[in-house]
Amino acid sequence: QVQLVESGGGLVQAGGSLTLACTASGRTLSGYGMGWFRQAPGKEREFVGSITWIGTSPEYADSVKGRFTISRDNAKNTLYLQMNSLKPEDTAVYYCARARGGGTYDVSNEYEYWGQGTQVTVSS
């Protein structure tokens, strides 16, 4: 069993930055792809970014490309999401997830374990 805990969310002004972290316990994240998703009020959960098990070939949603950076530290069992140039439309609960395989995936059913989420609010 894997437990994922997100941290680093909060309130930030438009144009600001936040870094989210996702720390795993129970089992190592090494060997598995990881992803970030988000869900805004009244909307479905959507893909944000994904990274392979060795930290290569990150993929991003078009809406965050060039502003967000996903990375991981397998030695620390931690996944990160650096968010720059934040916009009010980035406001959502952000979730990290561990994939079933080692690649990158942009659909939620490719992920087996999920965190509880952390709130990010961007004010205009």
Side-chain angles (χ1 to χ4, degrees):
Q1 195 73 1
V2 176
Q3 293 81 41
L4 302 175
V5 178
E6 302 93 341
S7 61
L11 174 64
V12 64
Q13 288 188 335
S17 298
L18 280 176
T19 300
L20 305 183
C22 170
T23 302
S25 61
R27 286 190 179 180
T28 179
L29 295 180
S30 182
Y32 298 94
M34 295 292 296
W36 287 99
F37 287 74
R38 68 186 182 185
Q39 187 167 18
K43 295 187 177 181
E44 293 188 352
R45 189 173 299 186
E46 66 174 2
F47 170 74
V48 174
S50 179
I51 194 167
T52 66
W53 73 277
I54 56 172
T56 58
S57 305
E59 293 188 2
Y60 301 95
D62 288 342
S63 58
V64 306
K65 203 170 292 183
R67 300 187 297 121
F68 290 11
T69 303
I70 188 171
S71 62
R72 64 189 296 166
D73 186 336
N74 287 340
K76 295 183 178 180
N77 243 9
T78 302
L79 175 74
Y80 301 97
L81 183 67
Q82 173 68 43
M83 305 185 293
N84 298 326
S85 302
L86 282 161
K87 305 175 181 180
E89 51 263 43
D90 293 318
T91 295
V93 177
Y94 284 71
Y95 300 89
C96 67
R98 197 204 78 174
R100 303 177 194 277
T104 57
Y105 312 93
D106 62 1
V107 290
S108 59
N109 61 11
E110 293 286 357
Y111 293 84
E112 185 174 14
Y113 297 101
W114 294 81
Q116 293 300 306
T118 185
Q119 176 71 46
V120 171
T121 303
V122 184
S123 63
S124 57

XYZ file of all heavy atoms in Angstrom, residues 3 10 17 22-23 28 34 37 42-43 45 53 60 64 66 76 79 88 93 96 98 100 103 107 114 121 124:
216
model
N 0.850 5.467 0.583
C 0.153 6.676 1.045
C 0.873 7.889 0.463
O 2.103 8.013 0.591
C 0.145 6.769 2.562
C -0.682 5.699 3.254
C 0.060 4.375 3.381
O 1.252 4.348 3.680
N -0.642 3.282 3.128
N -1.748 26.811 -0.994
C -2.032 28.028 -0.258
C -2.659 29.075 -1.136
O -3.115 28.791 -2.247
N 4.136 32.430 -7.420
C 4.627 31.058 -7.570
C 4.338 30.242 -6.322
O 4.250 30.786 -5.214
C 6.136 31.060 -7.809
O 6.476 31.741 -8.996
N 4.797 16.149 -2.964
C 4.011 14.941 -2.712
C 4.964 13.888 -2.178
O 5.852 13.420 -2.897
C 3.353 14.479 -4.006
S 2.583 12.850 -3.931
N 4.780 13.537 -0.937
C 5.672 12.577 -0.282
C 4.957 11.251 -0.092
O 3.795 11.219 0.333
C 6.144 13.123 1.067
O 6.807 14.371 0.850
C 7.117 12.160 1.722
N 8.154 2.543 -2.043
C 8.914 3.503 -2.815
C 8.171 3.916 -4.079
O 7.376 3.135 -4.633
C 10.278 2.919 -3.199
O 10.998 3.889 -3.981
C 10.116 1.652 -4.034
N 4.675 9.168 -12.197
C 3.911 9.976 -11.257
C 3.214 11.104 -12.005
O 3.690 11.557 -13.056
C 4.825 10.572 -10.190
C 5.485 9.569 -9.283
S 4.312 8.729 -8.189
C 3.724 10.107 -7.196
N -2.743 16.060 -10.955
C -4.051 16.397 -11.493
C -4.625 17.527 -10.650
O -4.132 17.804 -9.553
C -4.993 15.185 -11.451
C -4.668 14.125 -12.462
C -3.564 13.293 -12.294
C -5.450 13.950 -13.589
C -3.249 12.317 -13.229
C -5.154 12.978 -14.531
C -4.054 12.158 -14.338
N -16.882 22.523 -9.277
C -17.848 22.349 -10.341
C -17.301 21.776 -11.628
O -18.018 21.669 -12.621
N -16.019 21.398 -11.612
C -15.397 20.840 -12.818
C -14.851 19.457 -12.552
O -14.660 19.062 -11.404
C -14.277 21.757 -13.303
C -14.747 23.132 -13.760
C -13.609 23.906 -14.373
C -14.088 25.251 -14.905
N -12.968 26.021 -15.537
N -11.973 16.462 -12.644
C -10.535 16.404 -12.416
C -9.818 16.397 -13.760
O -10.233 15.702 -14.684
C -10.185 15.155 -11.621
C -8.755 15.088 -11.143
C -8.530 13.899 -10.227
N -9.359 13.963 -9.031
C -9.259 13.101 -8.030
N -8.375 12.117 -8.083
N -10.037 13.217 -6.975
N 9.379 7.237 -14.382
C 9.906 6.750 -13.107
C 11.335 7.212 -12.840
O 11.744 7.297 -11.688
C 9.830 5.230 -13.055
C 10.825 4.524 -13.922
C 10.740 4.239 -15.246
C 12.087 3.994 -13.497
N 11.850 3.589 -15.681
C 12.687 3.405 -14.630
C 12.750 3.949 -12.269
C 13.937 2.789 -14.564
C 14.001 3.332 -12.202
C 14.573 2.765 -13.348
N 2.932 17.835 -20.062
C 2.100 18.837 -19.410
C 0.826 19.084 -20.197
O 0.797 18.956 -21.424
C 2.866 20.161 -19.279
C 4.142 20.063 -18.490
C 5.365 19.873 -19.134
C 4.125 20.143 -17.110
C 6.540 19.773 -18.411
C 5.306 20.048 -16.381
C 6.501 19.857 -17.032
O 7.658 19.744 -16.311
N -0.877 24.601 -18.803
C 0.187 24.904 -17.838
C 1.573 24.848 -18.469
O 2.563 25.190 -17.809
C 0.140 23.949 -16.632
C -1.242 23.943 -16.001
C 0.571 22.543 -17.000
N 4.971 25.562 -19.995
C 5.782 26.772 -19.942
C 5.701 27.502 -18.615
O 6.512 28.396 -18.355
N 14.272 10.672 -2.028
C 13.424 11.240 -0.979
C 11.977 10.788 -1.105
O 11.127 11.228 -0.323
C 13.495 12.771 -1.030
C 14.864 13.345 -0.698
C 14.836 14.866 -0.703
C 16.194 15.435 -0.324
N 16.191 16.921 -0.329
N 7.678 13.837 -5.039
C 7.342 14.433 -6.328
C 7.084 15.922 -6.099
O 6.551 16.305 -5.052
C 6.082 13.761 -6.879
C 5.470 14.310 -8.164
C 6.327 13.911 -9.361
C 4.046 13.795 -8.326
N -5.650 33.073 -11.928
C -6.843 32.693 -11.152
C -7.458 31.374 -11.622
O -7.986 30.617 -10.802
C -7.787 33.872 -11.396
C -6.877 35.037 -11.606
C -5.712 34.478 -12.374
N -8.059 22.150 -6.309
C -7.389 21.191 -5.431
C -6.452 20.370 -6.310
O -6.883 19.827 -7.334
C -8.399 20.282 -4.714
C -7.658 19.252 -3.857
C -9.339 21.104 -3.846
N -1.669 14.496 -6.297
C -0.613 13.704 -6.908
C -1.092 12.254 -6.973
O -1.976 11.843 -6.217
C 0.692 13.799 -6.135
S 0.678 13.065 -4.495
N 0.266 8.036 -8.183
C 1.284 7.101 -8.648
C 0.678 6.204 -9.709
O -0.390 5.607 -9.509
C 1.810 6.244 -7.501
C 3.136 5.559 -7.819
C 3.372 4.323 -6.990
N 2.598 3.191 -7.512
C 2.699 1.958 -7.046
N 3.511 1.705 -6.048
N 1.993 0.986 -7.560
N 0.349 3.062 -12.595
C 0.495 1.609 -12.581
C 1.774 1.185 -13.301
O 2.317 0.121 -13.021
C -0.706 0.964 -13.269
C -2.039 1.332 -12.654
C -3.200 0.706 -13.424
N -4.465 1.328 -13.037
C -5.150 0.973 -11.953
N -4.720 0.010 -11.174
N -6.289 1.583 -11.671
N 5.805 4.913 -17.131
C 5.853 6.012 -18.087
C 5.062 7.220 -17.645
O 4.791 7.401 -16.455
N -4.246 10.261 -18.317
C -5.608 9.889 -17.953
C -5.612 9.279 -16.558
O -4.722 8.528 -16.182
C -6.244 8.903 -18.964
C -6.506 9.609 -20.273
C -5.370 7.692 -19.163
N -3.651 7.675 -5.018
C -3.906 9.117 -5.038
C -3.726 9.713 -3.652
O -4.022 9.056 -2.644
C -5.342 9.392 -5.501
C -5.592 9.015 -6.917
C -5.864 7.759 -7.399
C -5.593 9.885 -8.042
N -6.025 7.812 -8.755
C -5.875 9.097 -9.179
C -5.391 11.257 -8.207
C -5.958 9.640 -10.472
C -5.470 11.788 -9.480
C -5.751 10.983 -10.594
N -5.149 28.443 -4.258
C -6.063 29.522 -4.595
C -5.256 30.703 -5.123
O -4.341 31.179 -4.431
C -6.891 29.967 -3.382
O -7.610 28.830 -2.868
C -7.873 31.055 -3.758
N -6.958 37.359 -7.993
C -6.697 38.290 -9.109
C -6.336 39.681 -8.601
O -6.442 39.973 -7.421
C -7.928 38.363 -10.016
O -9.041 38.765 -9.266
